[in-house]
Amino acid sequence: MAIIETKNLTIIFDMPNNTRITVVEDINLSLEEGEFVAILGPSGAGKSTIVRAIAGLIKPTHGEVLYRGKLVEGVNPGVSMVFQTAALFPWLTVLENVEIGLKAKGIPPKERRERALKMIDLIGLDGFESAYPKELSGGMRQRVGFARALVVEPEVLLMDEPFSGLDVLTSENLRNDLLELWIEKRIPTKTILLITHSIEEAVYLADRVIVLDKNPGRIKQEIYVNIPHWRDRESEDFLRLVDRIYSIMMGKPIATKPSKPERYGTPLPHVRVGAIAGFVELVAELERKEDIYKIAEDLNMDLADIQPVIEAAELLKFIDTTGGDISVTEMGKIFAEADVLEKKEIFRKQLLANVPFIQQIIQVLKNKSNHRMPIEFFIELLETKFSTSEAQAQMEIAIDWGRYAELFVYDEDSKEVYLEEEVPESEKI
Ligand code: ADP
């Protein structure tokens, strides 16, 4: 029997402007005994929301969460959570911080102390029992967070990006220490669910990787990692799987329900033109196809951070990412080598050919006799599909791209968007 199951888990949030956003939809997943599962997805895909629903901290709008076949109502008794940063009580020592979880469960003081000390030892905090959080490094504080979660001997350990706030070396040590406890069954935990945006981390740790799509968050694909521990990140099997998962993440989103027409296309990545141009130039300079991982590493950036830039450059057909490798297209090469004016011209062409929302704006402006429209008009259109803040962000990006392409401009004073050839109202005498 699955330890955790979600059935058609759907979570919809009511937004202040009376709209509702579906954050995750129809999530069916199960965590079996002995399984380490990772959920991978871009930020905003609803990963944390799923985990919080499993923990019983959010009530599903539709569907249900089951723990050992029993409906979870209220806080899930079988789970412990570890977050990106451990929220420790600054006035308590390491030992007291770890004991807190047991106190809440009504365990008597003597047993509390014994179990906490044992866990502190196991997690590598020996000698720090009486230290206060402020005396510890970030990595040590995170270890206290792990100890506090594990000391109650949860059947299910939920981890929400637990390593992403730490530097490379510290996170690697902690990752390996946790993996060792898990593989060697030194903790009684039956199943682990990890949330991450790092493909490499997911493939390194998990037996199964669930790739989420966003808007709304849905399961795109599940991939089994059939590589025995300890895994070699440089091995062919490992690299091949990382590439495959990358392609899945970057591939076409699964079809959404046809009930709502996709009038404005998929959301624009939050990236300004300058970043796109710089990135295309960088890719054009590479001698050959390059693994996307290596590019992120060379730039000393997290893959999740450059992902929007990659998405934008691919949307405009300047680069191609088939198979997890990245290469510049013919158009991208011309764009990279062009001078400023030519660049604008090419960008304009690609924008008109590939971004429906930009075409929509131009269509509306052309149809108005004075070729101008209050920005609110477009934002309201966007709000039928996005939250208020996302609608604002989408409009800002559209204006940035449209201005660079010399298609349309935004006049701050009149709060209107107008076709480029028009003189802004505020400049008229
Ligand atoms: P991830 O963990 O994949 O980055 P989250 O689960 O944190 O994604 O959030 C997914 C989306 O849901 C985001 O757009 C976020 O703004 C929105 N969201 C999360 N919690 C709430 C809430 N309580 N009310 C409204 N929107 C929320």
Side-chain angles (χ1 to χ4, degrees):
M1 186 208 276
I3 302 210
I4 294 285
E5 250 183 306
T6 70
K7 291 193 170 163
N8 298 90
L9 176 67
T10 298
I11 291 169
I12 301 174
F13 287 118
D14 290 318
M15 304 304 282
N17 59 352
N18 284 332
T19 53
R20 310 181 81 207
I21 51 165
T22 305
V23 173
V24 293
E25 188 170 65
D26 280 338
I27 302 289
N28 291 297
L29 63 82
S30 66
L31 304 178
E32 306 288 333
E33 181 154 353
E35 247 194 334
F36 192 138
V37 177
I39 298 187
L40 189 63
S43 69
K47 302 184 293 296
S48 301
T49 304
I50 295 173
V51 162
R52 284 162 62 211
I54 291 175
L57 303 174
I58 309 180
K59 204 168 161 323
T61 314
H62 305 294
E64 53 195 26
V65 175
L66 304 177
Y67 167 51
R68 289 198 173 274
K70 256 187 77 191
L71 188 67
V72 173
E73 290 172 299
V75 175
N76 189 334
V79 315
S80 275
M81 274 186 88
V82 178
F83 301 91
Q84 191 173 340
T85 43
L88 303 178
F89 297 109
W91 59 88
L92 298 182
T93 63
V94 166
L95 180 61
E96 288 160 346
N97 265 292
V98 175
E99 275 187 54
I100 279 271
L102 294 168
K103 199 170 172 185
K105 291 213 181 253
I107 311 254
K110 188 162 169 285
E111 187 185 339
R112 266 195 332 242
R113 184 125 309 190
E114 279 167 11
R115 281 172 64 176
L117 284 171
K118 205 170 133 225
M119 185 47 69
I120 283 171
D121 196 22
L122 209 55
I123 206 81
L125 283 167
D126 205 11
F128 288 90
E129 295 83 356
S130 47
Y132 286 90
K134 67 170 188 313
E135 299 169 303
L136 302 177
S137 65
M140 292 304 243
R141 277 202 292 270
Q142 194 63 341
R143 280 178 193 263
V144 182
F146 270 99
R148 193 170 56 188
L150 290 171
V151 76
V152 299
E153 307 195 331
E155 287 212 302
V156 185
L157 178 65
L158 304 177
M159 306 193 286
D160 191 349
E161 305 249 2
F163 309 109
S164 62
L166 307 173
D167 65 68
V168 179
L169 212 64
T170 309
S171 64
E172 186 61 5
N173 285 336
L174 188 50
R175 218 179 267 122
N176 284 335
D177 287 352
L178 175 77
L179 190 59
E180 189 177 326
L181 293 180
W182 169 248
I183 298 174
E184 296 182 357
K185 298 197 167 31
R186 291 164 67 191
I187 45 175
T189 300
K190 300 270 193 317
T191 182
I192 300 184
L193 180 63
L194 166 75
I195 295 236
T196 177
H197 59 258
S198 160
I199 304 176
E200 210 188 59
E201 182 172 288
V203 174
Y204 185 68
L205 294 173
D207 306 307
R208 183 155 57 98
V209 179
I210 296 175
V211 177
L212 276 198
D213 212 3
K214 68 173 182 180
N215 297 317
R218 297 168 79 186
I219 294 181
K220 201 170 187 183
Q221 202 160 329
E222 295 192 32
I223 299 104
Y224 283 87
V225 185
N226 290 317
I227 308 172
H229 288 299
W230 295 81
R231 295 172 185 159
D232 174 6
R233 289 190 177 85
E234 301 292 321
S235 75
E236 262 191 36
D237 285 351
F238 193 97
L239 293 170
R240 204 177 309 120
L241 199 54
V242 167
D243 274 358
R244 201 178 124 215
I245 296 178
Y246 186 83
S247 302
I248 293 167
M249 284 180 78
M250 295 297 281
K252 285 202 179 326
I254 45 170
T256 43
K257 281 192 187 152
S259 57
K260 204 170 190 181
E262 289 273 326
R263 272 174 300 173
Y264 315 110
T266 43
L268 304 177
H270 294 192
V271 186
R272 302 204 168 263
V273 175
I276 303 173
F279 186 72
V280 174
E281 284 167 20
L282 187 108
V283 177
E285 279 172 21
L286 300 173
E287 305 263 303
R288 53 187 183 85
K289 281 191 175 187
E290 182 64 282
D291 197 277
I292 288 171
Y293 248 88
K294 294 281 173 301
I295 292 200
E297 256 177 42
D298 290 349
L299 295 175
N300 200 13
M301 282 175 80
D302 207 286
L303 187 58
D305 296 332
I306 61 165
Q307 196 157 311
V309 191
I310 296 176
E311 275 175 27
E314 191 158 42
L315 174 69
L316 298 168
K317 307 247 185 317
F318 289 140
I319 61 162
D320 181 51
T321 63
T322 320
D325 286 333
I326 198 163
S327 60
V328 69
T329 60
E330 275 311 306
M331 187 56 81
K333 210 180 280 169
I334 299 170
F335 178 72
E337 286 162 12
D339 64 28
V340 178
L341 284 180
E342 289 166 343
K343 264 201 171 67
K344 280 177 182 282
E345 176 73 38
I346 298 168
F347 194 84
R348 175 159 59 227
K349 258 205 216 132
Q350 297 308 95
L351 208 51
L352 288 172
N354 300 300
V355 185
F357 181 49
I358 299 280
Q359 297 163 357
Q360 179 95 21
I361 295 175
I362 291 171
Q363 205 59 40
V364 170
L365 295 177
K366 277 192 173 155
N367 281 329
K368 266 296 280 312
S369 57
N370 65 353
H371 294 176
R372 48 178 59 241
M373 203 67 186
I375 191 168
E376 274 308 312
F377 173 81
F378 298 107
I379 291 182
E380 282 201 11
L381 284 185
L382 288 164
E383 280 178 354
T384 61
K385 191 164 174 225
F386 302 107
S387 66
T388 306
S389 61
E390 185 55 33
Q392 297 271 4
Q394 287 293 308
M395 197 61 211
E396 260 175 51
I397 297 297
I399 288 172
D400 182 66
W401 294 11
R403 184 180 46 216
Y404 178 81
E406 298 185 354
L407 287 167
F408 50 81
V409 191
Y410 174 55
D411 178 7
E412 287 270 357
D413 295 318
S414 66
K415 309 233 177 305
E416 287 175 327
V417 182
Y418 60 96
L419 282 182
E420 176 71 312
E421 70 265 15
E422 300 294 304
V423 180
E425 204 62 49
S426 54
E427 283 177 24
K428 280 186 182 163
I429 306 165

